[in-house]
Amino acid sequence: MDQIKLEELLSSVKEGEVSVEDALKRLESLPFEDLGFARLDLHRDLRQGVPEVVFCQNKTPEQIITIMKKLWEHHDHVLGTRLSPDAAEIVLKGLPEAKYDPISKLLRLSRGERPLPGDDAPYGMVVSGGTSDQPVAEEAAVTMEFLGSRVIRAYDIGVSGVHRLFDQHALLTEADVIISVAGMEGALTSVVGGLVSCPVVGVPTSVGYGANFQGVAALLAMLNACAPGIAVVNIDNGFGLRSFNFEEN
Amino acid sequence: MDQIKLEELLSSVKEGEVSVEDALKRLESLPFEDLGFARLDLHRDLRQGVPEVVFCQNKTPEQIITIMKKLWEHHDHVLGTRLSPDAAEIVLKGLPEAKYDPISKLLRLSRGERPLPGDDAPYGMVVSGGTSDQPVAEEAAVTMEFLGSRVIRAYDIGVSGVHRLFDQHALLTEADVIISVAGMEGALTSVVGGLVSCPVVGVPTSVGYGANFQGVAALLAMLNACAPGIAVVNIDNGFGLRSFNFEEN
Amino acid sequence: MDQIKLEELLSSVKEGEVSVEDALKRLESLPFEDLGFARLDLHRDLRQGVPEVVFCQNKTPEQIITIMKKLWEHHDHVLGTRLSPDAAEIVLKGLPEAKYDPISKLLRLSRGERPLPGDDAPYGMVVSGGTSDQPVAEEAAVTMEFLGSRVIRAYDIGVSGVHRLFDQHALLTEADVIISVAGMEGALTSVVGGLVSCPVVGVPTSVGYGANFQGVAALLAMLNACAPGIAVVNIDNGFGLRSFNFEEN
Amino acid sequence: MDQIKLEELLSSVKEGEVSVEDALKRLESLPFEDLGFARLDLHRDLRQGVPEVVFCQNKTPEQIITIMKKLWEHHDHVLGTRLSPDAAEIVLKGLPEAKYDPISKLLRLSRGERPLPGDDAPYGMVVSGGTSDQPVAEEAAVTMEFLGSRVIRAYDIGVSGVHRLFDQHALLTEADVIISVAGMEGALTSVVGGLVSCPVVGVPTSVGYGANFQGVAALLAMLNACAPGIAVVNIDNGFGLRSFNFEEN
Amino acid sequence: MDQIKLEELLSSVKEGEVSVEDALKRLESLPFEDLGFARLDLHRDLRQGVPEVVFCQNKTPEQIITIMKKLWEHHDHVLGTRLSPDAAEIVLKGLPEAKYDPISKLLRLSRGERPLPGDDAPYGMVVSGGTSDQPVAEEAAVTMEFLGSRVIRAYDIGVSGVHRLFDQHALLTEADVIISVAGMEGALTSVVGGLVSCPVVGVPTSVGYGANFQGVAALLAMLNACAPGIAVVNIDNGFGLRSFNFEEN
Amino acid sequence: MDQIKLEELLSSVKEGEVSVEDALKRLESLPFEDLGFARLDLHRDLRQGVPEVVFCQNKTPEQIITIMKKLWEHHDHVLGTRLSPDAAEIVLKGLPEAKYDPISKLLRLSRGERPLPGDDAPYGMVVSGGTSDQPVAEEAAVTMEFLGSRVIRAYDIGVSGVHRLFDQHALLTEADVIISVAGMEGALTSVVGGLVSCPVVGVPTSVGYGANFQGVAALLAMLNACAPGIAVVNIDNGFGLRSFNFEEN
Amino acid sequence: MDQIKLEELLSSVKEGEVSVEDALKRLESLPFEDLGFARLDLHRDLRQGVPEVVFCQNKTPEQIITIMKKLWEHHDHVLGTRLSPDAAEIVLKGLPEAKYDPISKLLRLSRGERPLPGDDAPYGMVVSGGTSDQPVAEEAAVTMEFLGSRVIRAYDIGVSGVHRLFDQHALLTEADVIISVAGMEGALTSVVGGLVSCPVVGVPTSVGYGANFQGVAALLAMLNACAPGIAVVNIDNGFGLRSFNFEEN
Amino acid sequence: MDQIKLEELLSSVKEGEVSVEDALKRLESLPFEDLGFARLDLHRDLRQGVPEVVFCQNKTPEQIITIMKKLWEHHDHVLGTRLSPDAAEIVLKGLPEAKYDPISKLLRLSRGERPLPGDDAPYGMVVSGGTSDQPVAEEAAVTMEFLGSRVIRAYDIGVSGVHRLFDQHALLTEADVIISVAGMEGALTSVVGGLVSCPVVGVPTSVGYGANFQGVAALLAMLNACAPGIAVVNIDNGFGLRSFNFEEN
């Protein structure tokens, strides 16, 4: 534990056992070389305010179990994202206390309940264009709720029938942040951006075909949205939004 | 004139001057080999119902003058598209009777006036997203008018302020065709497509920057528009729309 | 039903129960906030003149059954597109009255027969380049017929043997619209565009290999077609054409 | 002015001059058809909380002068972005009261001073990778300040010498939002994202050469950043960030 | 048979049964409208000097059997390309006289043997870079042999060991045409192009990984080869070379 | 001169001055290390049958003068390609005996006339789609003539009016090779490929706009041409065709 | 064996059996034409200092067995890379003495042990960003060890928690070469490059999703790294690094 | 100066003026927060062993002068890269002691001569494909010499005449590192990689046209080189190679 090491070093300086020059030399490189694994975790917790979220895609079920168990020892709430149903089946055998949602592909480990925000709490809104965008939208909504936010969902309100969107007008203008999830041409995000004054985070999805190029069309559309205040995350990235929650929660 | 040639050939057969076998042989290849230049033009006029429109970009001013003069001999109305102001200056010296519009970059030669469609005639509508899309929108509108259509313009009604678009709602729903010109993320075309039942032709423009890729973002958005009945032309192509006019005109 | 709400509001104003100022405030936001789901549907029906067509790709069989059943309650003719044979097997169990065509991948629900257009009705023509383009071409043709149009098909007439195309010359020049479906290099659409004066809608297909990039080569070719009057839809999009039918039908 | 029209209509209903049925019919379409230009602006002002910001790129100097003058009549603070030095010279002749900054390419019209946030106010931080990213960074910083935020700048702290970044560690962790501007490979944004818990908005710049593809490398890097809480805007887009300011200002 | 029709028409003119004017009218449109299917085939045979080659990829086994049987009725030698082993199994049941080669993926129907070119006949050379390029190289070589050419193969002579290539120097310089098949970076084609004076046809293969992009790297390399006299075909296209054979065969 | 060195070495072996072992060692590496500059040139002349052609683009006028002068000492006919008019002005001052053609951008140095092929000689044909493709077409035609071939030109016969192409049918079918130069969507090459049995070399040009991507659309179209026997060179590459000439010349 | 041939030729010259002129002629072409297969191998061994490494991807198990057996006859240590577990199962039956590692996908044939480098030997370092990059990192590390190098691994030290990287600071600055393996946005390589003075070889991996484009994002990031001394290999290429080892081994 | 701060802190601990606990707290965050600008520089000098090299592209002349002057105060040898001739003219007025080379676009400030490596020193080799690649090759060569290495140049040895390359065979095999600079299809690097056992760094250049895409073709070719031991840097990046020099220099 490097805190201990630091204390020892400083004590040695105080006792005259180590000269100022020598201490100087050792201290200079210390934060780089001597940090142990545990301290790292604490550090990161402080840095980002949330427990580690595990990106499960590209990892073997065995790796996922190991990593989540380790985190589960130190945290009351651990979240795994992008866990395929096939992998989930194996992981759940090793982590029987976990809960898996096949739509949002999220795996959740929670020790005790977290208090929910009240009905008058500020809220983020998750909107989506079509039925097929729902898995990504749910991934975003559940992740935000996991992190303590109040979330209002408005799904299937794409611009092919723009009245459905306007039906949500009052809710949209009161939101603190809007996560706008859309595939195809991603125009939903532009139109939402033109209606509200809060930040809008566009999440392009890979829903589409042909010249959609697995979400590139929606991604480009959102990056080029003519309304200000829109920022974009990677295609199908419903899980990387954790910092876009609110101070109050 | 190959019609004459054909008559001669058939007469020769009738007169017994040419045997059936020989005539057979010559006829077989005739449409491919013996068509003269003039006949070709007539043919094409029949095929496409409009005088030749000259695409001026990539041609020298001298080539443009020569081609337009030749067409001007046989047609009362000739149109040149994509003529840069610099080239126009030279061309106008060789074609002083022509009229040039620096916004739409169209050059027009007209002998006599064409009767205008009345105020209650069916109309096409040209809508555009922003001020910068105007040159392409005008190119489309003027070309359609040149071909005899009644055109209603509604510019600068992009989705960043979607109310401007709805202001045109009644006009849009009555149109026979809508040419939707938009740059940036091109969402205007999607929203228009969701509001109307007539065909919508999306014209992506190269207005934008960065990940717009000179109009690719808008092009992809329009190709992926989730509303049906939308077809798309090339980026900045306001001149290639001539067939989308109406039987009545 | 907001029409009722509106009536109530106006009556209250008339009766003096609500002041002009208060009514003003409520009316301003009404069209956005108070539209119910049913009204929305009616609205859209008016807007687009056709029953909702369901894009089945990316939806689960369960979602498809639910959506089509709902539409089936209000419409006599409902169409599902892009339904894979595997999904169709499941969907048909939940919708035994539906008819599925494995080539065009269309699912159809029809209550009663629609009168067919006569043999002398105006027609659209669906042409295709090769045998492999047939599924997309059929999707387009059946969709157009479903919407009441007379359709003439001319398949397998690609430019590698351009005489096959010219064999259809007379039919092509009489068509009101031509849907030109082609993969590989997509040159069919260009050549067709040079032969006719009606609008041509190019449908690039993903048929090809290597530098075809799943239809991108054909898409770009059609967007760059040197003949005017050609507009293009997304790759393999044989179903999004519904507005390109004719007033007469 | 449609507010007046609405009042008149409601008064007419109250007076019995217009029947409920007729008023119903007119109201239904009113928000779409009868909104005038001025009302639109008021609407948008409400919607987005800021005066119109004018994107000057792709507009002629004459268009810019006209638009800004119009806004200047209704607002005390108007901002023009992406105004090239050449165009600025012309614009300033027509708008002598405007102030132009050639680095950030911003044009500013301000009537009276806005009160500045105090030194202990919450702040956003604008960080940038290298000297060449400064114009975009300044565009972001000045825009945020124009909108009333306190901004702390930390430029030229790219990852080629990662110690420069850590020098700003304390400031970074206290910020409410970080705008991370970087070209080349854009790694700065990833590293910043790993250090803080507030939202990070990545602004890729077109600084680079070769396989940088005018900012695409940085854009992709930021979209793929493995740290959560990072969202991205278009390449060189330092002006579209206005909503990412804070409630307090 | 339209040749008969033509004869009839001409005879009618000769006999005075049909006026010149009427014949003229009918002849004008004849080559487009009245060509029957059989004539088309003969035409194409004349045009391209080879029997129809069937591109099997993207066709169903049933379609392949039907098409090949039809051609087999009129030709002694029919070739199917790009037939997957799975499809071949089905096709061979319907075409038991056919021979299938699983490496080149070619299906061959031959009635009687064609005389082979002698050992001193001019030859084309098929060279390839690595073991994995062999299927495409064999497709090219067997197709050329099927069309009557003498072919010399030199496989696995890529530039990672450039001496293997020089080992073939004498043979290369005597060839009439060289088909250079290579994946990865495709440099083989460039080096071959620098050694010989005959035409070189580069066939990029999709062999590679990562930034090879399924053959795009090799394709671009060959298109940019600094040696003259190199032309390129599509990725993995070993079958489209039939015209590059020699007059002598 | 290494031929002299080789003679000396062999003579030394014959005379016993150098042992077989030592000669063996020196010979092994000789072809790599001791080849002088002049010999190289002779070698290459043998290898490729033509004098060096100089690619002038990207070279300074001074470099061009130096290189062409050097070649001019050893060859009677030297060709420079892609020489811009600006650079040509400077080069011609240093090479007053050279002739420059501003359309094809070719610079030619010829000592004495080369005998022209007769009117009944076999010929290559250079066809092009539109007026703007002419510079590339001329570059190809003049280069082929420079190398001794008979060339027949048929320009401006693109598929927007496909009859112009069929007008050339007889000439096309008799050609030994066809160079098909086309921009926009490049469909000309496909159609030509379907009409003839000789090899067709497609030369995509950068003529076009928008989604043409400076010739990429035409390049992809030609690579995907469904007719066999088509190979493609780089965009605008009219000069790299020298090996596609005929044995007879 | 051409060495023998050379000896014979030189002896013949010495004996006067072959004239200098004749020998000259034969020698000139010898290195190109007469090199046998075996000599080639020896040559390559000299050229590259390592036994042939077999790239197994895209090869059939049968081809792999044949090639590796042949090499195994002449070398004590043979390595196969990119061997999938499925193929490995078959290959191991034909090569029971081989050892296969399913993580790095390497197959190894070794006759006798190679002496290991001591603990104070210079070393290369293989660092990786995340758990999912491990297969590529192990491929690199095991290949380097196979070639005799001392390798130190530091995995899972990506920039989302940059302290993990600094923990390795001392080791990194002492390394002779660093292989930096990273997916996602690949920022690890940039940061490493800014910390050390030795060469850094970036290995982008295909780990990621969406706009990662199978490793393109990481590849571009590494190519654009602002720190000097970084070079990059193909995506997922952990096996092509063999020359980046040290003279000492 | 933080070194002084550290000394003071440690002295205070020694003297008992600061408790161990307090010192601990301050030290923990010190390396991040309190590092001054000068210290940073020293640090980086240690980290990378070379004086700062200034990338001048995208910087104003004024910025360049300021930065280079500052570095010039602390270093005897400073290098500026990518300085355009136009900018150089201005910079040289502010830095009259600097030397500028317009071919390599390098600006050099040197106080005293550095000793040159002897003729028998190990060397790196810089090879290039064509005349037009010379600026990038010189940039690489001069940078390496500036850093103290012995460099041997072999320019204009591209694969269109592969004998020129083999002429350099002996030199290549003795080099410690080879920088292979090539445009067009970049095959030079592959062939070089197949001939040598030392590391090869490929530098793709933007020399080419059409489907070269400003160097992308060469870049991809080099990334896909089938010979091992090749790593690649960015297009036209001749200046980022500084770490690929040798311990001996």
Side-chain angles (χ1 to χ4, degrees), chain B residues 32-35 40 43-44 47 55 57-59 63 67 82 216 219 234-235 237 239, chain F residues 131-132 134 160-164 166-170 184 207-213:
Chain B
F32 304 118
E33 285 166 48
D34 296 339
L35 295 179
L40 235 187
H43 234 109
R44 195 185 306 153
R47 276 198 332 274
F55 180 64
Q57 192 174 305
N58 296 320
K59 292 199 181 70
Q63 290 176 320
I67 292 170
R82 291 285 176 102
V216 169
L219 171 64
N234 199 353
I235 298 161
N237 181 349
F239 59 88
Chain F
T131 308
S132 311
Q134 197 173 329
S160 68
V162 85
H163 294 74
R164 294 176 300 181
F166 291 138
D167 202 26
Q168 307 294 331
H169 190 257
M184 311 292 277
V207 171
Y209 61 93
N212 181 281
F213 303 124

Side-chain angles (χ1 to χ4, degrees), chain B residues 15-73:
Chain B
E15 302 303 326
E17 293 165 4
V18 171
S19 73
V20 167
E21 289 71 27
D22 283 358
L24 188 66
K25 209 169 167 187
R26 288 170 61 183
L27 278 165
E28 211 163 344
S29 59
L30 182 102
F32 304 118
E33 285 166 48
D34 296 339
L35 295 179
F37 192 81
R39 184 183 143 81
L40 235 187
D41 272 348
L42 293 174
H43 234 109
R44 195 185 306 153
D45 203 13
L46 287 172
R47 276 198 332 274
Q48 301 199 320
V50 297
E52 187 90 30
V53 174
V54 183
F55 180 64
C56 298
Q57 192 174 305
N58 296 320
K59 292 199 181 70
T60 65
E62 291 70 30
Q63 290 176 320
I64 296 165
I65 293 171
T66 305
I67 292 170
M68 294 204 74
K69 272 193 175 159
K70 196 172 228 156
L71 292 167
W72 183 232
E73 289 168 18

Side-chain angles (χ1 to χ4, degrees), chain D residues 14-222:
Chain D
K14 194 180 172 187
E15 303 302 327
E17 294 164 5
V18 173
S19 73
V20 167
E21 290 69 28
D22 284 357
L24 188 65
K25 209 169 169 186
R26 288 169 62 184
L27 278 166
E28 212 162 344
S29 58
L30 182 103
F32 304 119
E33 285 164 49
D34 296 338
L35 294 179
F37 191 82
R39 185 182 143 83
L40 235 186
D41 272 348
L42 293 174
H43 234 110
R44 195 184 307 151
D45 201 13
L46 287 171
R47 276 199 331 274
Q48 302 199 322
V50 296
E52 188 89 31
V53 173
V54 183
F55 180 63
C56 298
Q57 192 174 303
N58 296 319
K59 292 199 181 70
T60 65
E62 291 69 30
Q63 290 176 320
I64 296 165
I65 293 170
T66 306
I67 294 170
M68 293 203 74
K69 271 192 176 160
K70 196 172 229 156
L71 292 168
W72 183 230
E73 290 168 17
H74 297 85
H75 299 286
D76 287 343
H77 301 279
V78 181
L79 190 69
T81 63
R82 290 284 180 105
L83 181 65
S84 72
D86 284 356
E89 214 173 331
I90 304 172
V91 170
L92 283 171
K93 285 178 190 156
L95 287 170
E97 55 277 72
K99 275 176 198 155
Y100 178 68
D101 172 25
I103 290 176
S104 61
K105 297 206 175 71
L106 295 170
L107 185 81
R108 186 170 177 164
L109 279 167
S110 280
R111 201 173 278 121
E113 277 303 304
R114 311 182 80 175
L116 293 175
D119 276 6
D120 56 351
Y123 61 89
M125 200 157 172
V126 177
V127 303
S128 75
T131 308
S132 311
D133 301 319
Q134 197 173 330
V136 177
E138 269 301 286
E139 188 182 33
V142 174
T143 302
M144 288 172 76
E145 287 173 338
F146 172 79
L147 299 173
S149 302
R150 180 174 162 222
V151 175
I152 294 183
R153 293 158 170 85
Y155 293 170
D156 199 16
I157 59 169
V159 300
S160 68
V162 84
H163 294 74
R164 296 178 297 182
L165 171 59
F166 291 137
D167 200 26
Q168 307 293 331
H169 189 258
L171 281 171
L172 287 165
T173 53
E174 297 295 325
D176 272 26
V177 67
I178 297 171
I179 313 298
S180 168
V181 181
M184 310 293 277
E185 89 284 53
L188 173 65
T189 301
S190 292
V191 178
V192 166
L195 291 174
V196 301
S197 63
C198 71
V200 175
V201 179
V203 185
T205 73
S206 55
V207 171
Y209 61 92
N212 181 280
F213 302 125
Q214 277 80 51
V216 170
L219 171 64
L220 293 183
M222 293 184 189

Side-chain angles (χ1 to χ4, degrees), chain C residues 57-126:
Chain C
Q57 192 175 304
N58 296 320
K59 294 199 179 69
T60 66
E62 291 68 31
Q63 290 175 319
I64 296 165
I65 293 169
T66 306
I67 293 170
M68 293 204 73
K69 271 192 175 159
K70 195 173 232 157
L71 291 168
W72 184 230
E73 289 167 17
H74 297 86
H75 299 285
D76 287 341
H77 302 278
V78 181
L79 190 70
T81 62
R82 291 285 178 100
L83 182 63
S84 72
D86 284 357
E89 214 173 329
I90 304 171
V91 170
L92 283 170
K93 285 180 189 153
L95 288 170
E97 55 279 73
K99 275 173 197 158
Y100 177 68
D101 173 25
I103 290 175
S104 62
K105 297 208 173 70
L106 295 171
L107 184 83
R108 187 172 177 162
L109 279 167
S110 280
R111 201 174 278 120
E113 276 302 305
R114 309 181 81 175
L116 291 176
D119 277 6
D120 55 353
Y123 59 90
M125 200 155 172
V126 178

Side-chain angles (χ1 to χ4, degrees), chain F residues 164-239:
Chain F
R164 294 176 300 181
L165 171 60
F166 291 138
D167 202 26
Q168 307 294 331
H169 190 257
L171 280 172
L172 288 165
T173 53
E174 298 295 323
D176 273 27
V177 68
I178 297 171
I179 312 300
S180 169
V181 181
M184 311 292 277
E185 88 285 51
L188 174 64
T189 301
S190 291
V191 179
V192 167
L195 291 174
V196 301
S197 62
C198 71
V200 175
V201 180
V203 185
T205 72
S206 55
V207 171
Y209 61 93
N212 181 281
F213 303 124
Q214 278 80 50
V216 169
L219 171 64
L220 292 184
M222 293 184 188
L223 285 170
N224 286 284
C226 39
I230 297 174
V232 186
V233 296
N234 199 353
I235 298 163
D236 290 335
N237 181 348
F239 58 87

